[in-house]
Amino acid sequence: MEYQYHEINHMIKNLSCFFDVVRLVDPIHCHRIEVDQGITRKQKKCYEVWNKSDRCENCISYQAYQQQKRLTKFELLNDEIYFVISTPLQIRLADDSLYSCVLEMVVKNSNKILMGHLKNNDYFENIILYEKKLYEDALTQVYNRRFYAEKSFCYGYYNDRHEIIFIVTDLKGFKQINDQYGHIVGDTILYETAQLISRTIRKQDYVIRMGGDEFLIILDHSDEEGARRVIDEIKEKSCHELIYDHVEKKHVILNFGMAYDADFDGSDESIKKLYYEADQNMYHDKKINLK
């Protein structure tokens, strides 16, 4: 499985609702690791959680890493039985490199019914699918407003402030398109617009459907010049890829507004300020497009 670095901490947080321990490990060097823009190896060895002074003889995470498949085992600690699931992952880092590691999930064996579900190969996939659907817009398959409301894009900012761009965009005359061509065409346009934006931005960036035909694009570690390039590229592509009337050669026109913060800290105040500024700038752009 491959994940973007900004998705990992969010996934671990949600998996922690189901498991007693959820962590990333480097099974080759026996380190517990954390992911932000890059990889941080913790001093404590991964086997210390099992009160051991060396690698486990039957290290399931090492085997999962070597075989590149999910493996499970039972572990005994202080007369308690634990069930361990080790799943190999690849994490796409901010520099676009891939880092291989293992996701460990541990649950205490206190419920035989639960253990039966954990042994089921579909259980882990169902949890991941649930987590994905929770923050995915059903129509456009990009992030939804809940993802924005829970500030899930803010992991890492509290300890590492850096540049960020908010871009608010919506579709010119979308209501008229819906009225004239029908909601099926309208839904298709929304989906294709969201996917075009997703293909244009980098893997560490975000596109969120805020509601209706409005989207929020978040560019991580980006300045205003980089944001303008993204906007220009989306505009150029929309002329050729977002055509909804081939007879009259009509294509989607997008309104854009952006806001920049050179020292974003992930606070509610900074998020609201950025979004408000980008939204106001979009409405200014919308007035220009009406002419």
Side-chain angles (χ1 to χ4, degrees):
M1 296 182 182
E2 180 180 325
Y3 292 90
Q4 301 300 315
Y5 73 89
H6 53 74
E7 297 176 322
I8 289 298
N9 291 324
H10 186 65
M11 181 178 72
I12 289 174
K13 175 185 175 183
N14 285 292
L15 288 173
S16 297
C17 298
F18 300 92
F19 297 91
D20 296 300
V21 176
V22 182
R23 62 181 188 166
L24 293 170
V25 298
D26 172 354
I28 302 299
H29 302 98
C30 300
H31 286 292
R32 186 173 66 84
I33 63 173
E34 291 183 356
V35 178
D36 186 12
Q37 302 292 322
I39 299 296
T40 301
R41 292 180 175 85
K42 296 300 181 179
Q43 287 188 336
K44 283 191 174 183
K45 297 291 188 177
C46 59
Y47 47 73
E48 291 182 33
V49 72
W50 304 112
N51 292 338
K52 296 186 178 182
S53 58
D54 203 351
R55 182 197 295 273
C56 304
E57 292 182 9
N58 184 30
C59 178
I60 201 70
S61 292
Y62 180 78
Q63 295 179 38
Y65 182 87
Q66 293 292 334
Q67 299 177 35
Q68 284 299 296
K69 66 178 182 180
R70 186 172 71 254
L71 298 176
T72 62
K73 75 167 184 177
F74 289 99
E75 186 75 31
L76 181 64
L77 176 65
N78 298 329
D79 296 325
E80 294 280 2
I81 297 176
Y82 293 83
F83 188 69
V84 184
I85 304 173
S86 294
T87 301
L89 300 178
Q90 286 192 313
I91 303 173
R92 182 73 64 177
L93 301 177
D95 62 3
D96 207 38
S97 62
L98 276 176
Y99 180 81
S100 297
C101 61
V102 172
L103 175 68
E104 280 188 1
M105 295 159 289
V106 183
V107 66
K108 188 182 292 187
N109 184 21
S110 58
N111 188 321
K112 292 183 179 179
I113 296 176
L114 175 61
M115 298 308 297
H117 286 302
L118 287 173
K119 289 180 181 178
N120 188 323
N121 285 335
D122 294 334
Y123 186 77
F124 179 72
E125 281 79 2
N126 287 339
I127 293 175
I128 297 298
L129 181 62
Y130 171 77
E131 192 272 338
K132 180 181 178 183
K133 293 297 183 184
L134 195 63
Y135 298 101
E136 182 182 81
D137 180 66
L139 174 62
T140 60
Q141 296 178 16
V142 297
Y143 288 114
N144 59 19
R145 181 142 193 155
R146 180 173 187 162
F147 181 83
Y148 170 81
E150 295 185 6
K151 303 197 302 181
S152 298
F153 57 90
C154 288
Y155 283 111
Y157 280 100
Y158 305 104
N159 299 317
D160 179 25
R161 297 184 179 193
H162 45 259
E163 295 177 301
I164 196 170
I165 291 279
F166 275 28
I167 301 172
V168 175
T169 182
D170 71 2
L171 283 64
K172 178 183 178 181
F174 181 69
K175 183 180 184 302
Q176 288 73 23
I177 295 172
N178 254 339
D179 292 343
Q180 183 176 350
Y181 296 91
H183 289 282
I184 293 178
V185 171
D187 287 351
T188 301
I189 287 173
L190 288 175
Y191 171 78
E192 291 182 352
T193 299
Q195 293 303 307
L196 184 149
I197 295 171
S198 295
R199 293 193 301 271
T200 304
I201 61 178
R202 301 163 303 173
K203 292 181 179 179
Q204 68 261 37
D205 299 328
Y206 305 87
V207 54
I208 304 167
R209 186 185 180 197
M210 299 298 286
D213 62 323
E214 183 177 302
F215 297 91
L216 172 63
I217 305 166
I218 300 177
L219 304 181
D220 193 26
H221 284 81
S222 183
D223 56 17
E224 292 174 282
E225 183 179 347
R228 291 190 187 96
R229 286 197 298 268
V230 169
I231 291 173
D232 289 343
E233 187 174 350
I234 293 172
K235 286 181 177 179
E236 175 66 24
K237 288 180 178 178
S238 66
C239 296
H240 309 288
E241 299 181 32
L242 299 180
I243 300 173
Y244 59 88
D245 188 327
H246 290 272
V247 176
E248 297 189 20
K249 297 181 179 179
K250 293 182 179 179
H251 64 82
V252 169
I253 297 175
L254 294 163
N255 306 298
F256 290 95
M258 72 173 178
Y260 169 71
D261 190 341
D263 192 32
F264 181 66
D265 62 3
S267 66
D268 289 344
E269 182 181 354
S270 61
I271 292 171
K272 289 177 182 177
K273 181 181 177 182
L274 274 169
Y275 183 77
Y276 177 80
E277 183 180 339
D279 193 53
Q280 291 300 302
N281 288 336
M282 183 196 69
Y283 277 98
H284 176 71
D285 186 54
K286 184 177 289 191
K287 289 179 181 178
I288 296 174
N289 284 337
L290 287 174
K291 296 178 181 179

